[in-house]
Amino acid sequence: MKDQNPKQPAEYISLVSFLILKVVLSFVLVNSMYELHRDEFLHLDQANHLAAGFTSVPPLTSLFSWLIKAFGNSYFMVKLIPALFGACTIFYCWKIVDFLKGNLLAKCLVAVACVCSSLLRLNTLYQPNSFDVLAWTAIFYYLLKYFDKNEARYLYAFAVFVALGFLNKYNILFLIMGLLPAIIITPNRKIFTDKSLYVAILLALVIISPNVIWQISHHFPVLIHMKALQSTQLVYVNRIDFFIGQFLFFISSIFFLLAGIGSLIFYKEFRKYNWIIFTYIITLLVFSYFKAKDYYALGLYPVLLAFGAVYLSRVLAKKYVLTGLLFVFNIGSFIYLLPLLMPVYSSAQIIARHKRFERVGALRWEDGKNHELPQDYADMQGWKELAALVDTAYGKVKDKSTLLIRADNYGQAGAINYYSKYTNINALSYNADYMYWFKMDKPIKDLILIEWSGDEDPQRKREQPLFDKITKIGELKNPYAREKGAAVFLLEGAKKEVTGIIKSEIEAEKNDH
């Protein structure tokens, strides 16, 4: 049977074009001088230690890492996965617009709004955040469909994405905290009389149960992780900056965002969807109360952009000049702000434009202080150099079976394992998940030690009585790397007590965590 809707081919072509564009931009707008990010290394290493849970993140990321490893563990694959999640987010925005009976213009508007925003930067990093935004967007879509059609299948799809979101990042619990009261105070509370809801809840619980059991059996490390995060990072979060950040993330798409918020409040046709705006407000307040980082709330925005695109497409119907100006502003302002949003500049170029980056807070790190480069950019340099130094030390060791490589932090350990030319190298750390991956089944005879700059014992006097020979292989020289000054030492001929000392240190670190 012939296609009776002549608009469909144009819509399919437009959608596919935007999805391809989204993926391509995730690669071409990253300066080639940058390497992988320190957090990416930890996630990639989890593929070698599959489990129902980790101290740093839930287990879903490790399954994506296993997939990346199966396809060669290349830089391309590492970057492709979050880019695809970003493309899927646009797909769900497209579906939301379609649900609202938006035309092709509205669909193109929301696609441009998503591409020309901080979501593009988010989707260049292999972290749980990209799937988090995708899961939140899918959850809004399936709830919209359920409240409209009252069909159980949408509740089940909703439950699956809640569960997958939970297994990806516990951040999704904040969305649930916003959704529940928002639904209760609107006529949509009739959902609680639908038996299918409880089947859906059971389905979600079954999916997340392995991780819940893991958390219980390991005495809820997520709570300990959150406590550490609160004391080391969230303590520097300013609530005013949190709310300012919500709009700065979408400054190029600000008209879509404001139209989405405004239409859900004032536009008569959208008032039946007011549970979305209530969810948005309540969730932001919860985030603010807990002094969360501003990007934790990014998942709230794709649905708002979709509503804004539909509303603007109706307001601008047949007003071609205004529509063109809207596209020009959105794309033009994004291009102007591109160096602040994406790592297109080299480190030297950023330093030369220091004031521009400082004015928008891009140089403020999690310690609350300003530095020469954005923290993420400093976290994407020096890793290959460090791995090469460790390879030099590794090549000098005759018996690799009794060698331990102990890095100062998870970024170092993961980078060494990823960039080393030796496939069987296994760097570890007393930091993050690595502390649980030690296998002390043989006495340690040699040790490769990586210590960051600022160490109080640069000559390794503490270890001199415990080893026959200590050699400094070198230190990381990259002036732009956050790890600048990290030194690599080869400690040979360990005394018998070394293995026991290391085991005690591991246990002490575990107890502290």
Side-chain angles (χ1 to χ4, degrees):
M1 186 175 180
K2 291 185 178 181
D3 186 357
Q4 297 180 7
N5 185 354
K7 294 184 179 180
Q8 282 190 357
E11 291 195 1
Y12 292 149
I13 292 171
S14 299
L15 174 59
V16 172
S17 298
F18 277 115
L19 298 184
I20 293 174
L21 176 66
K22 172 70 173 180
V23 173
V24 170
L25 289 179
S26 295
F27 286 91
V28 301
L29 294 180
V30 177
N31 193 300
S32 60
M33 74 168 291
Y34 296 109
E35 302 164 9
L36 294 182
H37 187 277
R38 72 164 60 240
D39 291 347
E40 294 177 304
F41 297 122
L42 172 60
H43 303 324
L44 291 170
D45 248 352
Q46 289 172 346
N48 303 310
H49 307 273
L50 295 178
F54 299 92
T55 59
S56 57
V57 293
L60 187 62
T61 301
S62 67
L63 297 180
F64 295 137
S65 297
W66 178 87
L67 184 65
I68 291 171
K69 182 180 178 182
F71 280 89
N73 222 29
S74 65
Y75 176 92
F76 174 78
M77 282 302 302
V78 174
K79 296 302 182 182
L80 179 62
I81 295 298
L84 289 176
F85 291 153
C88 289
T89 301
I90 291 179
F91 173 77
Y92 271 104
C93 287
W94 196 280
K95 297 283 286 181
I96 292 172
V97 170
D98 196 52
F99 167 80
L100 296 173
K101 297 179 173 56
N103 57 16
L104 179 57
L105 172 61
K107 293 173 180 177
C108 291
L109 286 172
V110 75
V112 170
C114 287
V115 170
C116 297
S117 72
S118 294
L119 292 177
L120 184 61
R121 170 60 178 154
L122 186 81
N123 299 144
T124 65
L125 295 170
Y126 179 59
Q127 297 174 343
N129 302 314
S130 289
F131 188 85
D132 189 48
V133 173
L134 168 59
W136 287 44
T137 308
I139 285 169
F140 279 112
Y141 170 71
Y142 287 116
L143 278 179
L144 282 167
K145 293 291 287 185
Y146 170 76
F147 290 138
D148 181 59
K149 299 292 186 181
N150 199 32
E151 295 180 8
R153 58 181 174 139
Y154 296 119
L155 272 182
Y156 301 148
F158 158 78
V160 168
F161 270 97
V162 169
L164 291 177
F166 180 90
L167 293 177
N168 170 74
K169 191 174 183 179
Y170 301 126
N171 188 51
I172 206 162
L173 293 175
F174 289 99
L175 173 60
I176 302 303
M177 293 169 67
L179 271 172
L180 283 176
I183 292 174
I184 289 172
I185 63 177
T186 63
N188 295 296
R189 56 182 171 271
K190 63 184 179 181
I191 188 177
F192 296 108
T193 64
D194 189 341
K195 294 179 181 179
S196 298
L197 172 65
Y198 303 98
V199 177
I201 292 174
L202 180 61
L203 173 63
L205 291 175
V206 169
I207 295 174
I208 70 173
S209 60
N211 181 245
V212 174
I213 293 171
W214 185 91
Q215 285 286 344
I216 294 172
S217 62
H218 288 76
H219 310 293
F220 293 99
V222 63
L223 299 179
I224 301 171
H225 179 71
M226 287 300 299
K227 184 177 180 181
L229 188 67
Q230 180 69 39
S231 61
T232 59
Q233 297 182 27
L234 301 185
V235 67
Y236 299 109
V237 172
N238 183 296
R239 289 189 174 95
I240 295 177
D241 289 342
F242 169 83
F243 286 106
I244 293 174
Q246 303 309 305
F247 291 93
L248 290 180
F249 283 134
F250 298 94
I251 192 65
S252 297
S253 308
I254 191 66
F255 291 118
F256 299 95
L257 178 56
L258 294 177
I261 295 172
S263 63
L264 281 165
I265 298 173
F266 302 110
Y267 187 41
K268 185 177 180 180
E269 189 173 329
F270 288 172
R271 285 178 186 169
K272 59 183 176 181
Y273 308 119
N274 58 6
W275 60 270
I276 293 177
I277 200 66
F278 289 140
T279 300
Y280 173 69
I281 295 171
I282 296 170
T283 306
L284 283 186
L285 290 176
V286 172
F287 273 134
S288 175
Y289 175 79
F290 286 104
K291 299 188 71 174
K293 296 181 180 181
D294 50 10
Y295 69 85
Y296 287 6
L298 278 173
L300 291 167
Y301 290 94
V303 65
L304 296 178
L305 295 177
F307 273 84
V310 173
Y311 178 74
L312 287 175
S313 70
R314 295 176 183 178
V315 172
L316 298 174
K318 297 184 179 181
K319 297 177 182 177
Y320 304 114
V321 174
L322 289 177
T323 301
L325 289 175
L326 181 61
F327 275 113
V328 169
F329 173 82
N330 196 181
I331 299 172
S333 60
F334 178 73
I335 293 174
Y336 174 75
L337 295 170
L338 191 61
L340 302 175
L341 298 173
M342 298 292 291
V344 292
Y345 280 168
S346 67
S347 297
Q349 289 174 316
I350 293 173
I351 293 173
R353 297 162 176 81
H354 184 85
K355 291 296 183 183
R356 185 184 182 191
F357 284 81
E358 187 176 38
R359 279 196 298 267
V360 297
L363 302 181
R364 188 179 302 115
W365 289 15
E366 61 191 21
D367 61 4
K369 301 177 183 178
N370 283 333
H371 297 260
E372 282 190 325
L373 298 176
Q375 180 172 314
D376 278 351
Y377 297 7
D379 276 333
M380 297 191 295
Q381 300 182 71
W383 303 116
K384 291 180 181 179
E385 181 184 343
L386 180 64
L389 289 172
V390 174
D391 281 351
T392 300
Y394 190 79
K396 296 178 180 292
V397 177
K398 295 180 180 179
D399 186 1
K400 308 293 196 293
S401 66
T402 57
L403 168 69
L404 175 65
I405 304 174
R406 204 210 79 192
D408 185 64
N409 57 62
Y410 69 83
Q412 292 178 358
I416 292 165
N417 294 336
Y418 185 81
Y419 284 121
S420 173
K421 65 181 180 181
Y422 296 100
T423 57
N424 60 339
I425 202 165
N426 183 31
L428 297 166
S429 173
Y430 294 162
N431 185 229
D433 298 304
Y434 286 95
M435 74 176 77
Y436 297 97
W437 296 342
F438 283 87
K439 293 182 179 180
M440 306 294 292
D441 50 351
K442 289 185 179 181
I444 301 301
K445 293 183 179 179
D446 300 297
L447 173 67
I448 295 177
L449 188 66
I450 302 96
E451 289 290 345
W452 206 350
S453 59
D455 184 77
E456 297 177 355
D457 188 13
Q459 302 304 317
R460 313 317 310 165
K461 293 181 180 180
R462 289 193 298 267
E463 289 87 5
Q464 285 178 5
L466 301 172
F467 291 87
D468 294 336
K469 182 181 179 182
I470 298 179
T471 306
K472 183 177 181 179
I473 303 299
E475 64 181 52
L476 199 156
K477 301 293 186 182
N478 189 321
Y480 306 121
R482 188 178 177 186
E483 300 285 329
K484 178 188 175 183
V488 177
F489 298 88
L490 174 59
L491 291 71
E492 301 174 273
K495 301 296 190 293
K496 291 182 179 180
E497 59 265 34
V498 167
T499 302
I501 292 173
I502 292 175
K503 287 182 177 179
S504 299
E505 289 176 345
I506 295 170
E507 289 303 314
E509 289 294 331
K510 288 181 179 179
N511 290 333
D512 286 344
H513 286 77

